[in-house]
Amino acid sequence: MTQLPNIITLLRIAGSLGLLLCDVTSVVFWIIYALCGISDIADGWLARKLKCVTRTGAWLDSLADICFVACLCPLLLPILDLPQWLWLWAGAIVAIKIVNQLSALVIYGRCCFPHTTANKATGFLLFIAVPTAFTSAIPIAIAATVATFAAIQEGHFIRRNEYENK
């Protein structure tokens, strides 16, 4: 039972890879998308409920998040008609996150993925915003605002060695 959260996380990775086999306009794609989003909430909640939160589970969760985004990007980016300023903003957020991880590698010799409230809120907002991004850039801009704060906060926690408790 203590491995159930990690199993859910591994299923999210498999689901993310499965998205690559689907047409973005298909019902199957959006069902898998929804299941991946729900599992992102469920695995952490279940780990806390079962009192089996582990560093491995947190690392796996971060890996699953990265895998989910990496699988969505080649599918959605070519068909989303977002303004250039939003692309530049997203690039700045990615740059901040890269600097955060480079800092962690230099300071601790490993990557660090703090599971802060701001990072969780960013994930949730992006999950909600992506389906609406086909009609409006506003939900993505809102998610980008929270993501900017989360990336800066993440760097602060990493550089102050406060990421373990987040």
Side-chain angles (χ1 to χ4, degrees):
M1 193 69 146
T2 59
Q3 290 302 311
L4 186 57
N6 290 346
I7 292 168
I8 292 171
T9 305
L10 290 169
L11 288 172
R12 183 163 81 251
I13 293 171
S16 298
L17 295 171
L19 289 172
L20 293 171
L21 304 173
C22 298
D23 178 3
V24 176
T25 61
S26 72
V27 173
V28 172
F29 176 89
W30 292 105
I31 288 172
I32 295 171
Y33 178 87
L35 290 172
C36 286
I38 292 166
S39 72
D40 190 20
I41 295 166
D43 60 0
W45 178 83
L46 198 55
R48 288 185 295 280
K49 189 80 169 167
L50 296 174
K51 295 180 176 35
C52 58
V53 175
T54 64
R55 182 179 284 187
T56 301
W59 182 85
L60 253 172
D61 184 60
S62 295
L63 179 66
D65 292 343
I66 292 166
C67 184
F68 186 57
V69 171
C71 290
L72 285 175
C73 282
L75 299 172
L76 296 177
L77 294 184
I79 60 175
L80 286 177
D81 186 27
L82 298 174
Q84 184 178 11
W85 60 267
L86 200 48
W87 290 110
L88 294 172
W89 191 357
I93 294 167
V94 169
I96 293 168
K97 291 199 146 288
I98 289 171
V99 168
N100 290 344
Q101 293 312 312
L102 290 174
S103 296
L105 284 170
V106 168
I107 296 168
Y108 310 111
R110 63 185 172 92
C111 290
C112 302
F113 301 100
H115 288 95
T116 64
T117 302
N119 273 331
K120 291 174 186 178
T122 298
F124 178 74
L125 288 172
L126 278 173
F127 175 70
I128 302 268
V130 166
T132 64
F134 293 99
T135 57
S136 172
I138 293 171
I140 296 288
I142 292 168
T145 302
V146 176
T148 302
F149 173 78
I152 293 167
Q153 181 189 47
E154 178 179 278
H156 172 75
F157 285 142
I158 288 171
R159 285 183 274 294
R160 294 212 36 200
N161 196 15
E162 297 176 9
Y163 63 89
E164 292 292 346
N165 298 323
K166 304 295 176 215

